[in-house]
């Protein structure tokens, strides 16, 4: 197996799809985690999944299939148990004699191939498709509603209280144990597993008067996925509390917790927030998937020019870089991408965050804890005594933190942080309003990025259309020439199984990057307004958020509606 993985990595390097240092990174991480080479390669997102599948198909002569064009017969689907299909993301395609063709994303997983042979009694012929395509097809053929409905029915028929109080260690045993079959556990695990498959960032379990609503936040918007009877809610709440070591007897005060789970062959950290309401305890689970957090700089969605400036800034020996935008605009993901890019044994990187969302290798991460007076400011002072090269401050909230961050940048450290402002120019004036001296801001600020997240058009159902004058009129301020002269062909999603009929799947960033030049620094020293600073930045070549959004509209990445929704407060 190791030989196959090595030859795969070397082949990718030889084809120019993987850099030698990236190959070493994957190899080292695979050995550390004792995971297959290809699994770690996908987790680190160093190669586009579809491109990897095409390479594997050509290199190893394994057929690649388009599952959206396949109709699999029911008797073929029954050849592999559903629990294995969901667990390993495989799908039986067709059978000829004693040979069963099975679609998978990792044909080198010998353990999986052996399990499939034992379960089916057939020879397994691998075929290739991306994991996301396989999971979409699984949901198409098997669905989720009936599973949850069956579990709910089972929960009605047996005592929930005894299951809810089951010890976590016992509940986390293998599926063969009786505890794993307990309906409450299965219901909670299914909710979370489905959310991971659907790419949800949050699960909302909200009690109403007569029932409980389960919603997933996918691509920034909430979608209702199911409901269950109110009488079952106490068991679900207790199960979640036990898993996170919270107090199951306390129902009158808010509780917060955290737990790590292995789901769908992925490690997922879950932040749990429980809040009492008039109809019962409301639960919000934040799913923190390391795979989605560790994005490369290229995956952020920056324009070529913006990405060039960004790369230059994060390689500087000192100075301060600010990321601005509202909550949920992807600031943390951008910061982690920067840290991941420059992380190396030669650099001492320390972060102070509230909370620490993702744990990064080789980086010292500190959790803010006001109960013991560990604030951003106090933590930052202590970090400076730890001989850091690079510091990441989760957020600059007050003058004290801002002053220490600026002083750190002045004394030879590279500092990353965030601010809550609507655009890049406002971040400069916010520092001045906090009481930071203009000459300190002018001399330490290396760049400011303002960003938003927009939903991406589903690639499976994307279709072109000719926009009306009303469509283009809303973007007139960023279109050169009149709408009639633009003559644009734009895109939108019709809605399909892949995107659950929304027309969107996934999200991308839109950005504006302010890089202070001589003229801008003069304005900072003169305490100019954010409008004056932005005007000068635009004259110097900066694209504002809506302009960057319009470029993504023209390229077919997103829609007019998404850009307008994401940038309305930045007007």
């Amino acid at each position: 197996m190791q030989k196959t993985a090595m030859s795969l990595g070397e082949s990718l390097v030889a084809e120019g799809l993987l850099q030698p240092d990236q190959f070493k990174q994957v190899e080292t991480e695979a050995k550390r985690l004792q995971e297959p080479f290809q699994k770690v390669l996908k987790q680190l997102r160093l190669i586009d999944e579809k491109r990897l599948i095409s390479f594997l198909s050509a290199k190893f002569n394994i057929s690649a299939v388009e599952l959206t064009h396949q109709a699999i017969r029911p008797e073929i689907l029954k050849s592999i148990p559903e629990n294995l299909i969901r667990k390993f993301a495989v799908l039986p395609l067709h059978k000829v004699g004693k040979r069963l063709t099975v679609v998978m994303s990792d044909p080198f997983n010998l353990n999986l191939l052996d399990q499939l042979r034992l379960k089916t009694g057939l020879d397994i012929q691998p075929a290739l498709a991306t994991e996301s395509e396989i999971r979409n097809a699984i949901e198409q053929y098997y669905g989720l509603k009936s599973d949850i409905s069956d579990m709910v029915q089972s929960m009605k028929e047996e005592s929930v209280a005894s299951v809810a109080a089951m010890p976590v260690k016992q509940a986390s045993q293998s599926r063969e144990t009786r505890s794993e079959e307990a309906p409450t556990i299965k219901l909670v695990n299914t909710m979370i597993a489905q959310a991971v498959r659907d790419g949800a960032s949050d699960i909302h379990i909200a009690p109403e008067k007569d029932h409980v609503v389960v919603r997933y936040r996918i691509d920034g918007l909430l979608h209702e996925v199911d409901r269950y009877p109110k009488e079952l809610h106490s068991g679900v709440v207790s199960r979640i509390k036990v898993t996170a070591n919270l107090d199951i007897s306390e129902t009158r005060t808010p509780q917060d917790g955290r737990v790590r789970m292995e789901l769908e062959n992925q490690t997922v950290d879950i932040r749990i927030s429980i809040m009492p309401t008039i109809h019962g305890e409301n639960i919000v689970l934040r799913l923190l998937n390391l795979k989605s957090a560790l994005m490369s700089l290229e995956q952020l969605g920056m324009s070529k020019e913006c990405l060039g400036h960004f790369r230059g800034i994060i390689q500087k020996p000192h100075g301060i870089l600010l990321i601005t935008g509202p909550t949920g605009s992807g600031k943390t993901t951008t910061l982690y991408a920067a840290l991941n890019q420059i992380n190396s044994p030669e650099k001492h990187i320390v972060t102070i965050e509230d909370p620490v969302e993702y744990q990064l290798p080789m980086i010292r991460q500190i959790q803010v804890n006001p109960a013991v007076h560990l604030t951003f400011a106090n933590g930052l002072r202590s970090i400076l005594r730890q001989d850091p090269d690079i510091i990441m401050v989760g957020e600059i909230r007050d003058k004290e933190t801002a002053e220490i961050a600026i002083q750190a940048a002045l004394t030879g450290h590279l500092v990353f942080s965030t601010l809550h402002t609507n655009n890049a120019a406002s971040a400069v004036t916010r520092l001045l309003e906090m009481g930071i001296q203009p000459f300190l801001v002018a001399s330490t600020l290396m760049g400011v990025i303002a960003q938003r997240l927009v939903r991406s058009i589903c690639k499976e159902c994307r279709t072109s259309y000719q926009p009306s004058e009303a469509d283009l009129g809303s973007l007139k301020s960023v279109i050169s020439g009149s709408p009639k002269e633009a003559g644009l062909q734009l895109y939108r999603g019709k809605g399909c199984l892949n995107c659950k009929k929304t027309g969107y799947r996934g999200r991308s960033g839109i950005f504006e990057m302010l890089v202070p030049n001589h003229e801008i620094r003069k304005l900072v020293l003169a305490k100019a307004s954010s409008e004056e600073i932005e005007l000068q930045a635009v004259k110097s070549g900066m694209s504002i958020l809506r302009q960057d959004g319009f470029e993504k509209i023209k390229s077919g990445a997103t829609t007019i509606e998404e850009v307008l929704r994401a940038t309305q407060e930045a007007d």
Side-chain angles (χ1 to χ4, degrees), residues 277-296:
T277 71
I278 59 172
H279 294 308
E281 291 179 277
N282 192 83
I283 304 172
V284 176
L285 307 179
R286 168 64 59 88
L287 307 180
L288 305 169
N289 190 344
L290 186 60
K291 180 173 130 180
S292 62
L294 288 180
M295 299 179 71
S296 67

Side-chain angles (χ1 to χ4, degrees), residues 140-272:
Q140 177 184 345
Y141 286 109
Y142 292 94
L144 174 70
K145 283 275 187 177
S146 60
D147 291 347
I148 289 185
S149 299
D150 290 344
M151 284 181 236
V152 169
Q153 186 60 37
S154 299
M155 291 170 68
K156 287 180 180 178
E157 295 170 359
E158 64 179 76
S159 171
V160 173
S162 60
V163 175
M166 191 177 297
V168 175
K169 186 175 181 180
Q170 182 184 1
S172 63
Q173 292 172 355
S174 65
R175 286 188 177 274
E176 284 70 26
T177 66
R178 293 180 61 192
S179 62
E180 184 68 23
E181 295 300 317
T184 306
I185 298 172
K186 290 182 70 177
L187 177 59
V188 172
N189 286 353
T190 301
M191 286 180 192
I192 298 171
Q194 179 64 24
V196 171
R197 285 195 293 269
D198 287 351
S201 60
D202 302 85
I203 303 172
H204 289 240
I205 306 173
E208 301 289 345
K209 184 178 180 180
D210 302 315
H211 59 271
V212 180
V213 179
V214 180
R215 295 185 294 173
Y216 295 163
R217 187 176 295 279
I218 301 173
D219 297 335
L221 299 180
L222 283 171
H223 302 269
E224 181 176 328
V225 294
D226 220 314
R227 299 185 175 197
Y228 61 82
K230 185 70 172 290
E231 61 265 24
L232 302 178
H233 188 52
S234 61
V236 171
V237 174
S238 296
R239 174 61 201 163
I240 291 172
K241 285 183 177 180
V242 167
T243 303
N245 293 317
L246 301 178
D247 186 354
I248 63 172
S249 66
E250 180 55 72
T251 61
R252 299 167 299 173
T253 61
Q255 295 191 63
D256 295 312
R258 191 163 187 157
V259 68
R260 174 170 288 190
M261 298 181 70
E262 293 288 336
L263 291 167
E264 307 293 329
N265 293 320
Q266 300 177 41
T267 300
V268 182
D269 280 339
I270 304 172
R271 283 215 320 262
I272 299 168

Side-chain angles (χ1 to χ4, degrees), residues 473-525:
S474 57
L475 289 171
K476 190 173 181 179
S477 61
V478 295
I479 299 173
S480 57
S482 69
K484 288 182 180 179
E485 294 170 353
L488 294 170
Q489 178 174 274
L490 302 185
Y491 301 85
R492 57 191 168 201
K494 293 188 296 185
C496 65
L497 288 172
N498 184 59
C499 60
K500 293 180 169 49
K501 305 296 183 181
T502 64
Y504 298 97
R505 185 169 176 85
R507 288 191 291 179
S508 180
I510 58 174
F511 303 86
E512 66 180 35
M513 174 172 278
L514 187 155
V515 180
N517 56 19
H518 179 68
E519 289 76 15
I520 292 174
R521 294 188 193 281
K522 283 170 62 178
L523 290 174
V524 174
L525 291 172

Side-chain angles (χ1 to χ4, degrees), residues 364-379:
R364 311 281 76 78
Q365 295 174 270
I366 302 168
Q367 170 84 44
V368 165
N369 187 355
V372 294
H373 306 292
L374 180 53
T375 62
F376 279 120
N378 291 337

